[in-house]
Amino acid sequence: MTATNDKRKIRYAVVGLGWFAQEAALPSFANTENSELVALVSDDPTKNEELSKKYGIHHTYSYEEYENCLASGEIDAVYIALPNHLHCDYTVRAANQAIHVLCEKPMAVTEQECEAMIKAANDNNVKLMIAYRLHLEEANLQAVEVLRSKQIGEPRIFNSVFTQQVEEGNIRLRDVTGGGTLYDIGIYCLNAARYLFQDEPIEVFAVAANNGEQRFSEVEEMASVILRFPNERLATFTCSFGGASVSTYQIVGTQGDLRVNPAYPWQGEIKHYLTINGETQERTFEDHDQLAAEFTYFSDCILEDKDPEPSGTEGLIDVSIIQALYESIETGKPVQIQTSDAYGGKLRHQRPTSDQTIERPPSDEKPDLIHAAAPSGQ
């Protein structure tokens, strides 16, 4: 998918200037042809001042001035990179001002918040996209095609490990802000299982573990999950904030298997290891600017009046399943998911395919972070 309107660029405000916004999002606008960074929103005056100078931005706002930003006439869309518990409020307020919204995942902390975000977007006729960058990334989309083409036979098993060390004091370790392993990194494994199986789980089970360190006093250190899909397929994954940096998944079919390693990075090479009849083929996918692809895609959707594939419904389904997983952790029992009438009856009819692949050259810039620190292992 490429931009077809060369005359107009969608003007963005980036809301929230943490490490990911600074390191991945802000530099990526230079790699887009239809998107322009015009405003910053943060309560940190130093971030606003230094980043606006660096990127030539004339409009900066505090969080209290967010409404002024939305009503300024300077922006068409917001990219929301705030803590999870703020996603709903800032999305609804933008939609109510007829501003399009690209919101980081997880979409929100509860199903009710997700539904409110979808309703606000629909009521105001604005685009709402959840930032599932891997829905545009070649290696993951080619994994989808490997399964769809039956190269490994009938896919039966998905297994994933996504772990990293998160240092004490990081916002991901705070319960009140919507932290926790499942919301933060488990969502990648869950979403991958769904787009690879091209289906929704019908039953889930999860357990959590905690080694007692002070940094894990509010959220689990790690969680292991089992998802039962239709046709008796199983997906399992373990995610952790207390392990070495690992990011991989494997799909086992009746005639072969595909391993992707690393599976979920936002930068760097990704490799496929496809084994059929005992013979393994290795394929390397080059580094690309995934955030530039994301902005390009969303801007195209706005310019061409198309509904984004990673929609609010996609975000809602993941959050709904994560809530069920935490219910399972609390009760120690499996939780049924009634997919026939779940999610307001809006099951996924459109799923990511290789047609959505967008490649942009990687950014050479390694920005110095201002009042922000990347989690260990990134």
mmCIF file of all heavy atoms in Angstrom, residues 143-174:
data_model
loop_
_atom_site.group_PDB
_atom_site.id
_atom_site.type_symbol
_atom_site.label_atom_id
_atom_site.label_comp_id
_atom_site.label_asym_id
_atom_site.label_seq_id
_atom_site.Cartn_x
_atom_site.Cartn_y
_atom_site.Cartn_z
ATOM 1 N N ALA A 143 5.040 -14.826 7.506
ATOM 2 C CA ALA A 143 4.688 -15.976 8.348
ATOM 3 C C ALA A 143 3.215 -16.327 8.167
ATOM 4 O O ALA A 143 2.844 -17.505 8.096
ATOM 5 C CB ALA A 143 4.997 -15.671 9.815
ATOM 6 N N VAL A 144 2.372 -15.294 8.090
ATOM 7 C CA VAL A 144 0.945 -15.516 7.816
ATOM 8 C C VAL A 144 0.780 -16.266 6.492
ATOM 9 O O VAL A 144 -0.004 -17.233 6.398
ATOM 10 C CB VAL A 144 0.182 -14.174 7.779
ATOM 11 C CG1 VAL A 144 -1.244 -14.371 7.257
ATOM 12 C CG2 VAL A 144 0.156 -13.532 9.162
ATOM 13 N N GLU A 145 1.532 -15.851 5.478
ATOM 14 C CA GLU A 145 1.402 -16.475 4.154
ATOM 15 C C GLU A 145 1.901 -17.923 4.162
ATOM 16 O O GLU A 145 1.349 -18.781 3.462
ATOM 17 C CB GLU A 145 2.154 -15.653 3.103
ATOM 18 C CG GLU A 145 1.615 -14.244 2.906
ATOM 19 C CD GLU A 145 0.145 -14.221 2.516
ATOM 20 O OE1 GLU A 145 -0.330 -15.169 1.857
ATOM 21 O OE2 GLU A 145 -0.539 -13.242 2.883
ATOM 22 N N VAL A 146 2.944 -18.201 4.927
ATOM 23 C CA VAL A 146 3.435 -19.585 5.036
ATOM 24 C C VAL A 146 2.323 -20.490 5.562
ATOM 25 O O VAL A 146 2.103 -21.600 5.049
ATOM 26 C CB VAL A 146 4.676 -19.663 5.958
ATOM 27 C CG1 VAL A 146 5.004 -21.120 6.310
ATOM 28 C CG2 VAL A 146 5.880 -19.010 5.294
ATOM 29 N N LEU A 147 1.602 -20.012 6.568
ATOM 30 C CA LEU A 147 0.524 -20.824 7.131
ATOM 31 C C LEU A 147 -0.656 -20.923 6.175
ATOM 32 O O LEU A 147 -1.239 -22.000 5.998
ATOM 33 C CB LEU A 147 0.072 -20.249 8.476
ATOM 34 C CG LEU A 147 0.812 -20.802 9.702
ATOM 35 C CD1 LEU A 147 2.285 -20.437 9.656
ATOM 36 C CD2 LEU A 147 0.168 -20.316 10.989
ATOM 37 N N ARG A 148 -1.012 -19.802 5.548
ATOM 38 C CA ARG A 148 -2.160 -19.815 4.637
ATOM 39 C C ARG A 148 -1.916 -20.723 3.433
ATOM 40 O O ARG A 148 -2.850 -21.324 2.894
ATOM 41 C CB ARG A 148 -2.471 -18.386 4.154
ATOM 42 C CG ARG A 148 -3.010 -17.480 5.236
ATOM 43 C CD ARG A 148 -3.266 -16.086 4.713
ATOM 44 N NE ARG A 148 -4.388 -16.052 3.778
ATOM 45 C CZ ARG A 148 -4.710 -14.998 3.028
ATOM 46 N NH1 ARG A 148 -3.988 -13.904 3.099
ATOM 47 N NH2 ARG A 148 -5.740 -15.035 2.221
ATOM 48 N N SER A 149 -0.675 -20.841 3.011
ATOM 49 C CA SER A 149 -0.344 -21.663 1.843
ATOM 50 C C SER A 149 -0.187 -23.145 2.193
ATOM 51 O O SER A 149 0.100 -23.955 1.304
ATOM 52 C CB SER A 149 0.956 -21.155 1.212
ATOM 53 O OG SER A 149 2.041 -21.335 2.110
ATOM 54 N N LYS A 150 -0.345 -23.474 3.484
ATOM 55 C CA LYS A 150 -0.281 -24.875 3.948
ATOM 56 C C LYS A 150 1.094 -25.499 3.746
ATOM 57 O O LYS A 150 1.207 -26.735 3.621
ATOM 58 C CB LYS A 150 -1.345 -25.738 3.254
ATOM 59 C CG LYS A 150 -2.765 -25.213 3.374
ATOM 60 C CD LYS A 150 -3.268 -25.233 4.798
ATOM 61 C CE LYS A 150 -4.735 -24.841 4.869
ATOM 62 N NZ LYS A 150 -5.243 -24.797 6.260
ATOM 63 N N GLN A 151 2.148 -24.672 3.689
ATOM 64 C CA GLN A 151 3.498 -25.227 3.518
ATOM 65 C C GLN A 151 3.885 -26.160 4.664
ATOM 66 O O GLN A 151 4.656 -27.095 4.472
ATOM 67 C CB GLN A 151 4.528 -24.102 3.405
ATOM 68 C CG GLN A 151 4.431 -23.289 2.131
ATOM 69 C CD GLN A 151 5.521 -22.234 2.069
ATOM 70 O OE1 GLN A 151 6.705 -22.552 2.149
ATOM 71 N NE2 GLN A 151 5.132 -20.986 1.915
ATOM 72 N N ILE A 152 3.355 -25.897 5.858
ATOM 73 C CA ILE A 152 3.665 -26.756 7.004
ATOM 74 C C ILE A 152 2.471 -27.658 7.331
ATOM 75 O O ILE A 152 2.387 -28.212 8.431
ATOM 76 C CB ILE A 152 4.092 -25.939 8.242
ATOM 77 C CG1 ILE A 152 2.973 -25.012 8.707
ATOM 78 C CG2 ILE A 152 5.365 -25.164 7.953
ATOM 79 C CD1 ILE A 152 3.253 -24.346 10.064
ATOM 80 N N GLY A 153 1.566 -27.802 6.380
ATOM 81 C CA GLY A 153 0.368 -28.597 6.610
ATOM 82 C C GLY A 153 -0.652 -27.803 7.410
ATOM 83 O O GLY A 153 -0.732 -26.573 7.306
ATOM 84 N N GLU A 154 -1.418 -28.492 8.230
ATOM 85 C CA GLU A 154 -2.409 -27.822 9.071
ATOM 86 C C GLU A 154 -1.728 -27.298 10.336
ATOM 87 O O GLU A 154 -1.148 -28.075 11.105
ATOM 88 C CB GLU A 154 -3.535 -28.794 9.457
ATOM 89 C CG GLU A 154 -4.434 -29.197 8.306
ATOM 90 C CD GLU A 154 -5.239 -28.017 7.775
ATOM 91 O OE1 GLU A 154 -5.554 -27.104 8.556
ATOM 92 O OE2 GLU A 154 -5.543 -28.017 6.562
ATOM 93 N N PRO A 155 -1.767 -25.980 10.574
ATOM 94 C CA PRO A 155 -1.163 -25.441 11.797
ATOM 95 C C PRO A 155 -1.891 -25.980 13.035
ATOM 96 O O PRO A 155 -3.113 -25.898 13.123
ATOM 97 C CB PRO A 155 -1.350 -23.927 11.662
ATOM 98 C CG PRO A 155 -1.648 -23.692 10.214
ATOM 99 C CD PRO A 155 -2.353 -24.918 9.736
ATOM 100 N N ARG A 156 -1.114 -26.547 13.973
ATOM 101 C CA ARG A 156 -1.724 -27.139 15.165
ATOM 102 C C ARG A 156 -1.275 -26.464 16.456
ATOM 103 O O ARG A 156 -2.041 -26.387 17.412
ATOM 104 C CB ARG A 156 -1.351 -28.634 15.243
ATOM 105 C CG ARG A 156 -1.814 -29.486 14.074
ATOM 106 C CD ARG A 156 -3.333 -29.573 14.016
ATOM 107 N NE ARG A 156 -3.863 -30.239 15.204
ATOM 108 C CZ ARG A 156 -5.064 -29.979 15.728
ATOM 109 N NH1 ARG A 156 -5.839 -29.071 15.182
ATOM 110 N NH2 ARG A 156 -5.480 -30.606 16.798
ATOM 111 N N ILE A 157 -0.033 -25.988 16.497
ATOM 112 C CA ILE A 157 0.540 -25.484 17.747
ATOM 113 C C ILE A 157 1.227 -24.151 17.505
ATOM 114 O O ILE A 157 1.976 -23.988 16.535
ATOM 115 C CB ILE A 157 1.575 -26.481 18.317
ATOM 116 C CG1 ILE A 157 0.915 -27.832 18.640
ATOM 117 C CG2 ILE A 157 2.262 -25.915 19.558
ATOM 118 C CD1 ILE A 157 1.931 -28.945 18.845
ATOM 119 N N PHE A 158 0.977 -23.195 18.393
ATOM 120 C CA PHE A 158 1.733 -21.939 18.439
ATOM 121 C C PHE A 158 2.383 -21.866 19.811
ATOM 122 O O PHE A 158 1.734 -22.115 20.826
ATOM 123 C CB PHE A 158 0.801 -20.740 18.226
ATOM 124 C CG PHE A 158 1.427 -19.395 18.521
ATOM 125 C CD1 PHE A 158 2.035 -18.652 17.523
ATOM 126 C CD2 PHE A 158 1.402 -18.863 19.805
ATOM 127 C CE1 PHE A 158 2.608 -17.408 17.784
ATOM 128 C CE2 PHE A 158 1.964 -17.621 20.085
ATOM 129 C CZ PHE A 158 2.568 -16.897 19.070
ATOM 130 N N ASN A 159 3.666 -21.527 19.839
ATOM 131 C CA ASN A 159 4.355 -21.361 21.120
ATOM 132 C C ASN A 159 5.283 -20.154 21.023
ATOM 133 O O ASN A 159 5.948 -19.957 20.007
ATOM 134 C CB ASN A 159 5.169 -22.604 21.475
ATOM 135 C CG ASN A 159 5.834 -22.461 22.832
ATOM 136 O OD1 ASN A 159 5.199 -22.102 23.815
ATOM 137 N ND2 ASN A 159 7.124 -22.724 22.885
ATOM 138 N N SER A 160 5.312 -19.349 22.071
ATOM 139 C CA SER A 160 6.119 -18.124 22.036
ATOM 140 C C SER A 160 6.716 -17.833 23.403
ATOM 141 O O SER A 160 6.113 -18.149 24.444
ATOM 142 C CB SER A 160 5.245 -16.935 21.589
ATOM 143 O OG SER A 160 6.020 -15.746 21.484
ATOM 144 N N VAL A 161 7.890 -17.239 23.385
ATOM 145 C CA VAL A 161 8.531 -16.712 24.597
ATOM 146 C C VAL A 161 8.925 -15.268 24.318
ATOM 147 O O VAL A 161 9.582 -14.982 23.311
ATOM 148 C CB VAL A 161 9.776 -17.535 24.988
ATOM 149 C CG1 VAL A 161 10.482 -16.895 26.188
ATOM 150 C CG2 VAL A 161 9.393 -18.977 25.305
ATOM 151 N N PHE A 162 8.489 -14.368 25.190
ATOM 152 C CA PHE A 162 8.850 -12.952 25.059
ATOM 153 C C PHE A 162 9.215 -12.467 26.451
ATOM 154 O O PHE A 162 8.352 -12.314 27.327
ATOM 155 C CB PHE A 162 7.672 -12.164 24.491
ATOM 156 C CG PHE A 162 8.031 -10.774 24.000
ATOM 157 C CD1 PHE A 162 9.341 -10.335 23.932
ATOM 158 C CD2 PHE A 162 7.031 -9.893 23.600
ATOM 159 C CE1 PHE A 162 9.668 -9.068 23.478
ATOM 160 C CE2 PHE A 162 7.336 -8.619 23.139
ATOM 161 C CZ PHE A 162 8.663 -8.204 23.078
ATOM 162 N N THR A 163 10.499 -12.240 26.674
ATOM 163 C CA THR A 163 10.994 -11.875 27.997
ATOM 164 C C THR A 163 12.019 -10.765 27.898
ATOM 165 O O THR A 163 12.710 -10.621 26.890
ATOM 166 C CB THR A 163 11.641 -13.090 28.696
ATOM 167 O OG1 THR A 163 12.705 -13.596 27.876
ATOM 168 C CG2 THR A 163 10.625 -14.206 28.916
ATOM 169 N N GLN A 164 12.128 -9.991 28.972
ATOM 170 C CA GLN A 164 13.130 -8.942 29.060
ATOM 171 C C GLN A 164 13.247 -8.506 30.512
ATOM 172 O O GLN A 164 12.353 -8.761 31.330
ATOM 173 C CB GLN A 164 12.753 -7.739 28.185
ATOM 174 C CG GLN A 164 11.404 -7.139 28.512
ATOM 175 C CD GLN A 164 10.940 -6.123 27.497
ATOM 176 O OE1 GLN A 164 10.661 -4.983 27.841
ATOM 177 N NE2 GLN A 164 10.846 -6.530 26.231
ATOM 178 N N GLN A 165 14.342 -7.871 30.844
ATOM 179 C CA GLN A 165 14.522 -7.316 32.175
ATOM 180 C C GLN A 165 13.974 -5.891 32.195
ATOM 181 O O GLN A 165 14.368 -5.062 31.368
ATOM 182 C CB GLN A 165 16.002 -7.309 32.561
ATOM 183 C CG GLN A 165 16.591 -8.684 32.868
ATOM 184 C CD GLN A 165 16.104 -9.253 34.189
ATOM 185 O OE1 GLN A 165 15.446 -8.573 34.981
ATOM 186 N NE2 GLN A 165 16.434 -10.516 34.430
ATOM 187 N N VAL A 166 13.043 -5.629 33.098
ATOM 188 C CA VAL A 166 12.503 -4.279 33.272
ATOM 189 C C VAL A 166 12.938 -3.773 34.644
ATOM 190 O O VAL A 166 12.685 -4.416 35.667
ATOM 191 C CB VAL A 166 10.962 -4.269 33.146
ATOM 192 C CG1 VAL A 166 10.414 -2.873 33.407
ATOM 193 C CG2 VAL A 166 10.554 -4.754 31.762
ATOM 194 N N GLU A 167 13.611 -2.651 34.647
ATOM 195 C CA GLU A 167 14.228 -2.164 35.876
ATOM 196 C C GLU A 167 13.213 -1.530 36.818
ATOM 197 O O GLU A 167 12.189 -0.987 36.396
ATOM 198 C CB GLU A 167 15.326 -1.154 35.523
ATOM 199 C CG GLU A 167 16.467 -1.767 34.723
ATOM 200 C CD GLU A 167 17.509 -0.757 34.300
ATOM 201 O OE1 GLU A 167 17.273 0.464 34.532
ATOM 202 O OE2 GLU A 167 18.542 -1.161 33.744
ATOM 203 N N GLU A 168 13.521 -1.606 38.087
ATOM 204 C CA GLU A 168 12.633 -1.046 39.113
ATOM 205 C C GLU A 168 12.382 0.439 38.855
ATOM 206 O O GLU A 168 13.272 1.176 38.445
ATOM 207 C CB GLU A 168 13.270 -1.230 40.504
ATOM 208 C CG GLU A 168 12.346 -0.841 41.637
ATOM 209 C CD GLU A 168 12.837 -1.334 42.985
ATOM 210 O OE1 GLU A 168 13.885 -1.994 43.049
ATOM 211 O OE2 GLU A 168 12.151 -1.043 43.981
ATOM 212 N N GLY A 169 11.149 0.856 39.060
ATOM 213 C CA GLY A 169 10.768 2.242 38.819
ATOM 214 C C GLY A 169 10.152 2.472 37.455
ATOM 215 O O GLY A 169 9.543 3.518 37.215
ATOM 216 N N ASN A 170 10.278 1.508 36.541
ATOM 217 C CA ASN A 170 9.683 1.660 35.210
ATOM 218 C C ASN A 170 8.162 1.622 35.315
ATOM 219 O O ASN A 170 7.598 0.854 36.086
ATOM 220 C CB ASN A 170 10.184 0.542 34.295
ATOM 221 C CG ASN A 170 9.819 0.774 32.839
ATOM 222 O OD1 ASN A 170 8.688 0.565 32.432
ATOM 223 N ND2 ASN A 170 10.790 1.209 32.059
ATOM 224 N N ILE A 171 7.505 2.432 34.503
ATOM 225 C CA ILE A 171 6.048 2.549 34.564
ATOM 226 C C ILE A 171 5.347 1.235 34.244
ATOM 227 O O ILE A 171 4.213 0.988 34.669
ATOM 228 C CB ILE A 171 5.569 3.681 33.627
ATOM 229 C CG1 ILE A 171 4.143 4.091 33.977
ATOM 230 C CG2 ILE A 171 5.691 3.259 32.163
ATOM 231 C CD1 ILE A 171 3.704 5.367 33.308
ATOM 232 N N ARG A 172 6.017 0.350 33.512
ATOM 233 C CA ARG A 172 5.422 -0.952 33.187
ATOM 234 C C ARG A 172 5.187 -1.805 34.434
ATOM 235 O O ARG A 172 4.442 -2.788 34.389
ATOM 236 C CB ARG A 172 6.362 -1.735 32.259
ATOM 237 C CG ARG A 172 6.666 -1.061 30.935
ATOM 238 C CD ARG A 172 7.763 -1.803 30.232
ATOM 239 N NE ARG A 172 7.985 -1.302 28.881
ATOM 240 C CZ ARG A 172 8.485 -2.034 27.898
ATOM 241 N NH1 ARG A 172 8.808 -3.286 28.108
ATOM 242 N NH2 ARG A 172 8.661 -1.519 26.708
ATOM 243 N N LEU A 173 5.842 -1.442 35.537
ATOM 244 C CA LEU A 173 5.738 -2.211 36.777
ATOM 245 C C LEU A 173 4.711 -1.627 37.734
ATOM 246 O O LEU A 173 4.601 -2.078 38.874
ATOM 247 C CB LEU A 173 7.110 -2.275 37.461
ATOM 248 C CG LEU A 173 8.230 -2.918 36.637
ATOM 249 C CD1 LEU A 173 9.566 -2.803 37.358
ATOM 250 C CD2 LEU A 173 7.912 -4.378 36.345
ATOM 251 N N ARG A 174 3.935 -0.657 37.271
ATOM 252 C CA ARG A 174 2.923 -0.022 38.127
ATOM 253 C C ARG A 174 1.531 -0.505 37.737
ATOM 254 O O ARG A 174 1.138 -0.440 36.571
ATOM 255 C CB ARG A 174 2.989 1.505 38.009
ATOM 256 C CG ARG A 174 4.296 2.102 38.512
ATOM 257 C CD ARG A 174 4.195 3.612 38.570
ATOM 258 N NE ARG A 174 3.165 4.041 39.507
ATOM 259 C CZ ARG A 174 2.616 5.264 39.502
ATOM 260 N NH1 ARG A 174 2.974 6.152 38.582
ATOM 261 N NH2 ARG A 174 1.696 5.590 40.385
#
